[in-house]
Amino acid sequence: MLADHEQDRLVELLVVTAEVIGDQLRPTTAAYMVGDLSCYPLAQLERALGACRRELKGRLSLAAVLERIDDGHPAPNEAWAVAIQAADERNTVVWTTLTQQAWNTALPLVQAGDKIAARQAFLETYTRLVKEARAARLPASYAPSLGFDLTSRNAALTDAVSKGLLAHDQVSDHLQLTAATPAFNPVALLAGKVEASPGANPKIRARLEELARELAA
């Protein structure tokens, strides 16, 4: 919830933004809009109103501001570009729950070979779901859909964790572990020699060298 001074600042921003795009917004109207917007951080609202000043012409509405708040929901075409990757079961896809729901609507059309109709169905469903989520002040929630290609799965999940879309705990069970490097040279051991591998840490290397001296004695 915005503090009182932040709400006053938001009223000013709303009035100024309306003037910039050729609209007029009375302070009382702006105050009512603040009541619907004050659950968002002021920094997010400032960015959203900046986008309104660049993109809108003629009228500033509450819906226009809400549409431009960065709540994590991808734009419809961006969501479709992610969803269509799930048509190939080899792919691991990291998407929002709303993207997944809209994809479930489009999937039968994709399977029937009509990607044009599938895309239209997806966009209509996704737009409606995002509108409902924003009305309920629900931010985006991400989840993985695992494909059977292990290499691409690892890359997709690692990338999602690095971008903050998923927590490491969510995907740790699905990430491939890098094989551990042996502390000794197994080929040399077959010849009766104890040699440390290049990646061995100094403590292990010293112990292996001591063991080699003992065997030589």
Side-chain angles (χ1 to χ4, degrees), residues 11-56:
V11 169
E12 295 175 1
L13 289 170
L14 288 166
V15 172
V16 169
T17 298
E19 292 177 354
V20 168
I21 65 175
D23 193 11
Q24 289 187 343
L25 195 66
R26 290 178 298 176
T28 52
T29 303
Y32 278 107
M33 293 176 69
V34 167
D36 291 315
L37 296 171
S38 59
C39 59
Y40 296 101
L42 183 60
Q44 282 189 354
L45 295 169
E46 289 175 337
R47 290 192 292 270
L49 288 169
C52 288
R53 291 191 292 273
R54 293 189 300 271
E55 300 167 5
L56 295 179

Side-chain angles (χ1 to χ4, degrees), residues 76 98 101-102 105 120-136:
L98 301 188
Q101 291 175 36
T105 301
Q120 185 63 33
F122 175 90
L123 294 177
E124 290 176 358
T125 303
Y126 180 79
T127 300
R128 174 178 56 80
L129 291 173
V130 170
K131 183 177 180 180
E132 293 172 354
R134 284 175 170 158

Side-chain angles (χ1 to χ4, degrees), residues 197-208:
S197 66
N201 65 53
K203 185 175 181 180
I204 293 177
R205 182 182 294 276
R207 176 56 184 146
L208 288 173

Side-chain angles (χ1 to χ4, degrees), residues 131-177:
K131 183 177 180 180
E132 293 172 354
R134 284 175 170 158
R137 308 292 191 268
L138 298 175
S141 175
Y142 282 81
S145 174
L146 302 177
F148 62 78
D149 184 286
L150 297 181
T151 301
S152 63
R153 177 193 299 179
N154 222 48
L157 296 180
T158 302
D159 182 62
V161 171
S162 69
K163 292 178 178 177
L165 303 180
L166 297 174
H168 187 270
D169 291 346
Q170 288 179 269
V171 300
S172 58
D173 290 343
H174 306 296
L175 290 172
Q176 290 179 292
L177 298 177

Side-chain angles (χ1 to χ4, degrees), residues 79-119:
W80 168 253
V82 172
I84 192 61
Q85 298 176 41
D88 187 339
E89 294 183 356
R90 293 173 298 181
N91 294 332
T92 289
V93 178
V94 177
W95 52 11
T96 67
T97 53
L98 301 188
T99 302
Q100 183 178 16
Q101 291 175 36
W103 174 249
N104 291 338
T105 301
L107 181 56
L109 294 168
V110 173
Q111 293 173 333
D114 192 347
K115 287 188 178 181
I116 294 177
R119 179 177 179 275

